[in-house]
Protein backbone atom coordinates (compact mmCIF):
# COMPACT_ATOMS: atom_id res chain seq x y z
CA UNK A 1 0.00 0.00 0.00
CA UNK A 2 1.28 3.45 -0.92
CA UNK A 3 0.43 6.29 1.43
CA UNK A 4 0.08 9.91 0.40
CA UNK A 5 0.82 12.72 2.83
CA UNK A 6 -2.06 15.15 3.32
CA UNK A 7 -1.42 18.87 2.87
CA UNK A 8 -0.89 20.82 6.10
CA UNK A 9 -3.93 23.09 5.90
CA UNK A 10 -3.27 24.83 9.24
CA UNK A 11 0.22 25.92 8.14
CA UNK A 12 -1.11 27.05 4.76
CA UNK A 13 -3.82 29.19 6.39
CA UNK A 14 -1.30 30.67 8.86
CA UNK A 15 0.84 31.81 5.92
CA UNK A 16 -1.94 33.82 4.27
CA UNK A 17 -1.36 37.58 4.06
CA UNK A 18 -4.85 38.30 5.44
CA UNK A 19 -5.49 35.29 7.56
CA UNK A 20 -8.23 34.54 10.06
CA UNK A 21 -7.62 33.65 13.69
CA UNK A 22 -6.19 30.14 13.61
CA UNK A 23 -6.83 27.65 16.41
CA UNK A 24 -5.25 24.22 16.08
CA UNK A 25 -5.84 21.04 18.06
CA UNK A 26 -3.33 18.51 19.37
CA UNK A 27 -4.64 15.20 20.67
CA UNK A 28 -1.91 13.41 22.63
CA UNK A 29 -1.49 10.60 25.12
CA UNK A 30 1.72 11.89 26.74
CA UNK A 31 3.77 15.09 26.86
CA UNK A 32 0.53 16.77 25.85
CA UNK A 33 1.35 20.41 26.56
CA UNK A 34 4.96 20.32 25.35
CA UNK A 35 3.93 18.76 22.04
CA UNK A 36 1.03 21.18 21.61
CA UNK A 37 3.17 24.26 22.27
CA UNK A 38 5.78 23.02 19.80
CA UNK A 39 3.04 22.51 17.20
CA UNK A 40 1.63 26.01 17.83
CA UNK A 41 5.06 27.59 17.35
CA UNK A 42 5.90 25.50 14.28
CA UNK A 43 2.63 26.25 12.50
CA UNK A 44 2.46 29.86 13.78
CA UNK A 45 -1.17 29.59 14.84
CA UNK A 46 -2.80 31.89 17.38
CA UNK A 47 -4.03 29.25 19.82
CA UNK A 48 -3.88 25.52 20.28
CA UNK A 49 -6.08 23.18 22.28
CA UNK A 50 -3.99 20.43 23.85
CA UNK A 51 -6.30 17.44 24.30
CA UNK A 52 -5.34 14.67 26.68
CA UNK A 53 -6.59 11.38 25.23
CA UNK A 54 -7.14 8.41 27.53
CA UNK A 55 -9.46 5.68 26.25
CA UNK A 56 -9.45 3.89 29.63
CA UNK A 57 -10.85 6.99 31.35
CA UNK A 58 -13.28 7.74 28.51
CA UNK A 59 -11.58 11.06 27.67
CA UNK A 60 -11.02 12.28 24.12
CA UNK A 61 -11.83 10.18 21.07
CA UNK A 62 -15.22 8.42 21.02
CA UNK A 63 -16.17 10.14 24.28
CA UNK A 64 -18.28 13.13 25.27
CA UNK A 65 -15.65 14.57 27.59
CA UNK A 66 -12.23 16.19 27.22
CA UNK A 67 -9.39 17.18 29.45
CA UNK A 68 -7.60 20.08 27.76
CA UNK A 69 -5.31 23.05 28.10
CA UNK A 70 -5.77 25.98 25.75
CA UNK A 71 -2.47 27.73 24.93
CA UNK A 72 -1.82 31.09 23.28
CA UNK A 73 1.36 33.12 22.91
CA UNK A 74 1.13 34.83 26.31
CA UNK A 75 -0.74 32.33 28.44
CA UNK A 76 -2.75 29.21 28.95
CA UNK A 77 -5.96 27.96 30.54
CA UNK A 78 -6.06 24.44 32.00
CA UNK A 79 -9.51 22.89 31.88
CA UNK A 80 -10.33 19.84 33.96
CA UNK A 81 -12.31 17.01 32.42
CA UNK A 82 -15.67 18.30 31.22
CA UNK A 83 -18.03 18.06 28.27
CA UNK A 84 -16.75 18.89 24.81
CA UNK A 85 -19.47 21.56 24.63
CA UNK A 86 -18.11 23.24 27.78
CA UNK A 87 -14.55 23.16 26.38
CA UNK A 88 -15.81 24.73 23.12
CA UNK A 89 -17.56 27.48 25.10
CA UNK A 90 -14.32 28.30 26.99
CA UNK A 91 -12.43 28.36 23.68
CA UNK A 92 -14.97 30.68 22.06
CA UNK A 93 -14.77 33.14 24.97
CA UNK A 94 -10.96 33.10 24.91
CA UNK A 95 -10.95 33.87 21.20
CA UNK A 96 -13.27 36.82 21.85
CA UNK A 97 -11.02 38.08 24.68
CA UNK A 98 -7.72 37.80 22.83
CA UNK A 99 -8.86 38.80 19.35
CA UNK A 100 -11.63 41.37 19.83
CA UNK A 101 -10.78 43.13 16.54
CA UNK A 102 -11.86 40.10 14.53
CA UNK A 103 -15.49 39.59 13.56
CA UNK A 104 -17.15 36.50 14.97
CA UNK A 105 -19.77 34.40 13.27
CA UNK A 106 -22.91 33.48 15.18
CA UNK A 107 -23.35 29.75 15.16
Amino acid sequence: MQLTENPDIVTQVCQLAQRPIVVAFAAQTHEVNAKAIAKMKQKKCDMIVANYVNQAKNIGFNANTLSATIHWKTGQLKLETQSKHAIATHLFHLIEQHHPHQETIDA
Side-chain angles (χ1 to χ4, degrees):
M1 174 178 11
Q2 184 177 357
L3 300 177
T4 303
E5 186 174 345
N6 289 326
D8 187 340
I9 297 169
V10 172
T11 299
Q12 290 175 359
V13 171
C14 287
Q15 293 173 348
L16 294 173
Q18 292 185 314
R19 70 179 184 88
I21 296 165
V22 179
V23 179
F25 293 81
Q28 304 290 335
T29 57
H30 64 286
E31 298 179 19
V32 179
N33 291 309
K35 288 182 178 183
I37 291 168
K39 182 177 180 178
M40 181 178 71
K41 289 178 180 178
Q42 174 198 9
K43 295 179 183 292
K44 299 182 175 140
C45 52
D46 300 296
M47 292 182 163
I48 193 160
V49 179
N51 301 327
Y52 173 68
V53 178
N54 185 325
Q55 302 267 333
K57 294 184 179 181
N58 202 28
I59 300 171
F61 297 126
N62 298 319
N64 292 323
T65 57
L66 275 183
S67 179
T69 302
I70 302 171
H71 298 274
W72 57 96
K73 292 174 186 163
T74 59
Q76 68 182 27
L77 176 63
K78 181 174 176 41
L79 300 169
E80 297 301 326
T81 303
Q82 55 192 281
S83 73
K84 289 180 179 180
H85 183 269
I87 299 278
T89 300
H90 285 291
L91 178 59
F92 183 75
H93 291 300
L94 280 170
I95 292 168
E96 285 184 319
Q97 283 179 323
H98 293 279
H99 301 281
H101 62 283
Q102 298 282 338
E103 291 184 33
T104 57
I105 299 171
D106 292 328

